[in-house]
């Protein structure tokens, strides 16, 4: 099912035209209503009249996470505070949070794009959906909540935590959909297996997972463990929250709601635009938002875009799986390593649980790199030779993917700390030296 066929299946030509009109309007509005942006544009010697086509977007300045901190809390608003009906803030990082203000109309847009996502996952007005993303300043909970309400489904506003109750309500209320981070879904999958209630008594069929990078291997694990179809839901606070993009039944790329959020891919080190298909940093300009519209916001997310039409009927551009954030990339002994590369190796090996931790340190000026991973109950053995053999296999596979050789520590099942929100999978002790 498609929620908004007009927008999701529009010809590429018409989409570009629409984006152009909306971009021009947004630039105009920002220029006249947001002082920091006006100053930036003046410094670059441009006015809204210089933006006549989508290609002119490269003339506009970038916006970074740092800008959102520097202009904390309200200087990047393009409307008076009286127009703002909701505040959300970014979850992760330390220091000042990143604060975003939404007008009534922005919340309607959020509901609209969220509805496109949940409809594409196969959910509708007859479905009960458990939202186990955290509620509060984090956009996950309220964003998914609003999406389910917009499609007319029945939302269970669970938030994260309280696992026993999660399982009880999922069962008693007949939840068909589950929306949470993939790492929390793994945690719930184990809880479900441990629960005395047989799996057949649950109605669960569809997962709406996002807010952190996850691999194809992790999708397989989740689909098998939970007996569901697991779909990608993408979003970020600065742009709107969950709803910026979603997978469809083809599970072959994440469709972006590009009539609201115009995407570009740039070289992360130079900021130069890259051609379609090339991997680089994803950049968004919001082209319909009123409260805090952003121009050329650098997400730090590394991915590539595919403009081919999809077999689901949608023509909207698809984003390939996010490799990670530029900030997630570890440089170990001079080699670039993404946690997602380690995850894909771990998920391929039937002896391992998808729970892992990367520990990086520096001893005598040399980087050390250890991968801790849980071994499945049935493969965990007291026989040292068996464990040594398994360890060797893992090191071998990791080395061929990463080109450097890590230490591997096999640990017993259920010993690595579980996450109820975004998983923390890297401990880099080098940053504390
Ligand atoms: P924070 O930056 O504090 O984590 P957000 O909650 O806004 O704040 O997180 C947005 C980020 O989460 C995105 O920029 C991206 O890195 C990550 N993310 C969100 N959804 C996905 C997804 N489906 N796949 C991979 N990464 C995702
Ligand atoms: Zn599709």
């Amino acid at each position: 099912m498609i929620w908004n066929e007009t927008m999701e299946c529009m010809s590429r030509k018409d989409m570009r035209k629409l984006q152009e009109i909306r971009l021009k309007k947004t630039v105009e509005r920002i220029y006249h209503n947001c002082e920091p942006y006006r100053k930036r544009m003046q410094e670059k010697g441009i006015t809204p009249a210089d933006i006549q086509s989508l290609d002119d977007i490269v003339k506009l300045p970038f916006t970074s996470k740092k800008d959102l901190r520097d202009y904390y809390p309200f200087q990047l608003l393009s409307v008076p505070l009286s127009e703002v009906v909701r505040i959300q803030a970014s979850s992760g990082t330390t220091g000042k949070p990143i604060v975003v203000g939404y007008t009534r109309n922005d919340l309607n847009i959020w509901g609209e794009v969220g509805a496109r996502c949940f409809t594409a996952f196969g959910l509708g007005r007859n479905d009960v959906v458990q939202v186990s993303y955290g509620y509060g300043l984090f956009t996950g909970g309220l964003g998914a909540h609003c999406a389910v309400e917009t499609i007319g489904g029945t939302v269970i506003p669970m938030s994260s935590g309280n696992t026993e109750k999660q399982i009880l309500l999922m069962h008693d209320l007949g939840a068909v959909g589950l929306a949470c981070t993939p790492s929390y879904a793994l945690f719930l999958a184990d809880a479900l297996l441990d629960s005395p209630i047989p799996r057949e008594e649950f109605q669960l069929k569809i997962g709406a997972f996002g807010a952190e990078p996850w691999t194809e291997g992790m999708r397989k694990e989740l689909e098998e463990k939970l007996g569901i179809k697991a779909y990608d839901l993408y979003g970020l606070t600065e742009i709107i929250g969950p709803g910026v993009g979603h997978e469809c039944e083809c599970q072959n790329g994440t469709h972006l709601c590009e009539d609201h959020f115009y995407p570009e891919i740039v070289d992360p080190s130079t900021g130069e635009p890259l051609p379609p298909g090339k991997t680089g940093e994803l950049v968004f300009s919001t082209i319909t938002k009123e409260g805090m519209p952003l121009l050329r916001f650098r997400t730090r997310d590394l991915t590539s875009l595919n403009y081919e039409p999809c077999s689901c009927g949608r023509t909207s551009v698809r984003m390939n799986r996010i490799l990670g954030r530029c900030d997630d990339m570890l440089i170990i002994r001079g080699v670039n390593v993404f946690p997602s590369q380690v995850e894909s190796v771990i998920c391929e090996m039937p002896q391992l649980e998808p729970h892992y931790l990367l520990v990086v340190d520096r001893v005598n000026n040399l980087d050390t790199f250890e991968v801790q991973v849980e071994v499945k109950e049935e493969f965990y053995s007291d026989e040292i030779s068996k464990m040594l053999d398994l360890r060797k296999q893992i090191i071998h596979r990791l080395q061929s993917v990463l080109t450097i050789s890590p230490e591997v520590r096999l640990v017993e099942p259920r010993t690595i700390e579980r996450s109820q929100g975004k998983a923390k999978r890297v401990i880099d002790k080098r940053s504390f030296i």
Side-chain angles (χ1 to χ4, degrees), residues 290-353:
E290 299 171 341
M292 206 182 87
L294 296 181
L295 296 176
R296 307 193 83 202
F297 177 73
R298 297 189 62 155
T299 64
R300 317 289 292 151
D301 291 330
L302 297 174
T303 183
S304 55
L305 298 179
N306 172 5
Y307 287 87
E308 292 303 311
C310 180
S311 349
C312 71
R314 290 177 184 81
T315 50
S316 47
V317 62
R318 276 171 291 160
M319 164 179 94
N320 291 314
R321 246 180 211 291
I322 293 181
L323 188 59
R325 297 198 206 192
C326 314
D327 346 294
D328 287 343
M329 190 182 79
L330 293 159
I331 303 181
I332 304 170
R333 294 172 221 145
V335 174
N336 299 348
V337 173
F338 283 98
S340 59
Q341 294 174 299
V342 176
E343 182 176 300
S344 60
V345 168
I346 287 172
C347 288
E348 267 170 22
M349 299 191 63
Q351 303 94 329
L352 304 178
E353 290 284 355

Side-chain angles (χ1 to χ4, degrees), residues 8-41:
E8 296 177 72
C9 307
M10 191 179 274
S11 76
R12 296 291 330 154
K13 194 164 155 253
D14 288 349
M15 177 56 73
R16 274 186 76 83
K17 196 166 274 165
L18 180 70
Q19 288 170 325
E20 201 162 272
I21 295 168
R22 290 182 167 180
L23 174 71
K24 278 158 72 172
K25 238 177 163 171
T26 302
V27 172
E28 190 88 39
R29 191 145 30 82
I30 289 180
Y31 187 82
H32 293 294
N33 296 297
C34 181
E35 202 186 311
Y37 265 123
R38 183 168 53 247
K39 277 199 178 140
R40 279 258 174 106
M41 286 171 67

Side-chain angles (χ1 to χ4, degrees), residues 175-376:
V176 170
L178 169 67
C180 61
T181 59
S183 49
Y184 193 45
L186 259 188
F187 181 89
L188 288 175
D190 286 339
L192 209 131
L193 290 172
D194 288 349
S195 130
I197 313 170
R199 174 65 183 89
E200 314 79 77
E201 284 190 20
F202 288 85
Q203 307 287 316
L204 200 65
K205 290 188 187 65
I206 291 164
F209 302 143
E212 63 184 5
W214 55 309
T215 56
E216 275 307 309
M218 186 62 86
R219 187 207 308 270
K220 250 207 222 132
E221 287 275 347
L222 286 167
E223 292 194 333
E224 273 164 24
K225 276 197 165 160
L226 285 164
I228 58 168
K229 285 277 258 181
Y231 294 99
D232 186 46
L233 174 63
Y234 173 75
L236 59 166
T237 315
E238 295 86 346
I239 299 307
I240 206 153
V244 175
H246 60 86
E247 272 181 333
C248 60
E249 70 266 23
C250 306
Q251 293 185 317
N252 184 21
T254 297
H255 288 276
L256 297 178
C257 297
E258 54 172 324
D259 52 321
H260 293 286
F261 319 113
Y262 178 76
E264 296 172 82
I265 297 284
V266 304
D267 180 324
S269 44
T270 63
E272 284 303 312
L274 293 174
K278 281 265 177 291
T279 299
E281 182 180 349
L282 182 61
V283 170
F284 281 112
S285 299
T286 67
I287 51 178
T288 49
K289 265 174 64 179
E290 299 171 341
M292 206 182 87
L294 296 181
L295 296 176
R296 307 193 83 202
F297 177 73
R298 297 189 62 155
T299 64
R300 317 289 292 151
D301 291 330
L302 297 174
T303 183
S304 55
L305 298 179
N306 172 5
Y307 287 87
E308 292 303 311
C310 180
S311 349
C312 71
R314 290 177 184 81
T315 50
S316 47
V317 62
R318 276 171 291 160
M319 164 179 94
N320 291 314
R321 246 180 211 291
I322 293 181
L323 188 59
R325 297 198 206 192
C326 314
D327 346 294
D328 287 343
M329 190 182 79
L330 293 159
I331 303 181
I332 304 170
R333 294 172 221 145
V335 174
N336 299 348
V337 173
F338 283 98
S340 59
Q341 294 174 299
V342 176
E343 182 176 300
S344 60
V345 168
I346 287 172
C347 288
E348 267 170 22
M349 299 191 63
Q351 303 94 329
L352 304 178
E353 290 284 355
H355 295 287
Y356 62 95
L357 188 65
L358 314 187
V359 185
V360 188
D361 202 351
R362 185 164 291 154
V363 180
N364 297 331
N365 286 321
L366 267 183
D367 290 338
T368 62
F369 175 29
E370 181 182 80
V371 176
Q372 299 178 7
V373 58
E374 289 182 10
V375 179
K376 281 204 178 121

